[in-house]
Amino acid sequence: MTAHPTHPSPLVHARIAGLLYLIIIVFGIFSEVFVRGSLIVTGDAAATVTNILASEWMFRIGFAADAIMLLSDVAIAVLFYVLLKPVSRLLSLAAAAFRMTQAAVLGINLLNYYAALLLLNDSGSTAAFETDQLHALVMLFLDMHRHGYDIGLIFFGLSSLILGHLIVRSKYFPGIFGWGLIAAATVYLAGSFARFLVPEYASRIEPAYVVPFITESSFCLWLLLKGVRNRP
C-alpha cells in the first residue's frame, strides 16, 4: 500500500485504529462489568437505587466511559473505511455507516441510562411518585438502556460482518481475523434478535460472547503490534 508523502501511511492508520480499539474494549468492559455489573441488581430495585446513590460518581463515570467508547467507534469507522476502501469502496462505506449508526443509537440510548440518575436527584418533578414507584421507574429506564444496547449491536453486527468479509478479501490482515469478525457478527446478531424475539433463550447465547471478545482483542493487538501488511 503506497502512501502519499503528505498523508499518514496505512501503517499509521492501522496503529491508531488499534489504539482506538483498545480504548473501546477497555472502556466498554469497565462501564458494563465494573459499573453496571456492580451497581445494578437484577430484580431488586431498592438495592439498585441504594447502590447508585452510594456510588453516584461511579455511575457518572460509567456514562463518561460509554461516551468515550462511542466517540472512538466513530473515529475507528472512518479509519477502517480508509484502510479497506481499495478492496471495495461501497462495502467499506456500508461498514462505516452501520458502525456510525450503532454509535448514534447507543449515544441516544445513554439518555435512558442517565434518566435513572435524574429521577433520583430531581425531587421536584418526581414528588408525585411513591418510593416504590420511583424505584420501579429507575429500573424501567435501566432495562430500556439494556435493550437499547442490543438494538445498537444489530447495526454493529452488520458492520462487523461486512468488515470481516473485507478483511478476508484484502490480505492486508491475517484472514483468521476476518473469519473471527464474521463469527463475532453472528453472535451479536443472534444475541440481539433473541433479546426481542425469544427473550427466554437470550441467556443461552451469552456464553458465546467470548467469541467477539477473543476476536476483537486479538485483532486490536495485531493492529497495535503489526499494523497492516503491504498491498499485494
Side-chain angles (χ1 to χ4, degrees):
M1 297 174 70
T2 304
H4 192 280
T6 60
H7 292 83
S9 69
L11 179 60
V12 172
H13 287 147
R15 291 277 168 77
I16 296 173
L19 178 60
L20 291 171
Y21 229 136
L22 182 62
I23 291 172
I24 291 167
I25 292 170
V26 171
F27 280 65
I29 290 175
F30 172 78
S31 59
E32 182 64 30
V33 177
F34 293 99
V35 177
R36 289 187 284 275
S38 63
L39 298 182
I40 300 174
V41 182
T42 304
D44 194 335
T48 298
V49 169
T50 299
N51 290 340
I52 292 173
L53 292 176
S55 301
E56 184 176 325
W57 63 273
M58 179 178 278
F59 193 85
R60 293 180 184 274
I61 289 175
F63 178 94
D66 271 342
I68 293 172
M69 179 188 70
L70 296 178
L71 291 172
S72 300
D73 246 329
V74 172
I76 204 173
V78 175
L79 288 172
F80 279 140
Y81 168 73
V82 171
L83 284 168
L84 293 169
K85 69 178 180 179
V87 183
S88 172
R89 187 182 184 92
L90 180 61
L91 289 179
S92 297
L93 184 60
F98 279 123
R99 190 161 193 149
M100 288 184 178
T101 302
Q102 174 240 194
V105 169
L106 295 187
I108 295 172
N109 188 48
L110 279 177
L111 287 174
N112 287 322
Y113 176 80
Y114 199 75
L117 203 58
L118 292 177
L119 285 168
L120 294 175
N121 286 335
D122 189 356
S123 57
S125 59
T126 59
F129 297 104
E130 298 291 337
T131 300
D132 290 344
Q133 293 174 326
L134 184 61
H135 291 181
L137 277 175
V138 168
M139 293 300 287
L140 174 62
F141 276 106
L142 292 175
D143 197 41
M144 287 176 64
H145 173 260
R146 183 166 61 95
H147 281 75
Y149 220 95
D150 277 299
I151 293 176
L153 287 179
I154 293 174
F155 293 95
F156 184 67
L158 291 173
S159 176
S160 297
L161 189 65
I162 299 170
L163 187 65
H165 170 72
L166 289 169
I167 287 174
V168 171
R169 284 181 55 188
S170 72
K171 309 302 181 184
Y172 299 161
F173 311 99
I176 190 172
F177 293 129
W179 293 113
L181 286 174
I182 291 172
T186 304
V187 173
Y188 284 132
L189 292 171
S192 293
F193 279 112
R195 177 77 65 189
F196 295 97
L197 301 180
V198 282
E200 62 273 17
Y201 294 106
S203 61
R204 299 185 182 183
I205 300 176
E206 289 178 0
Y209 280 89
V210 70
V211 174
F213 176 74
I214 292 174
T215 298
E216 295 182 72
S217 298
S218 302
F219 189 34
C220 168
L221 290 175
W222 175 273
L223 290 169
L224 285 171
L225 300 176
K226 296 291 185 178
V228 61
R229 292 171 172 170
N230 289 330
R231 183 176 180 178

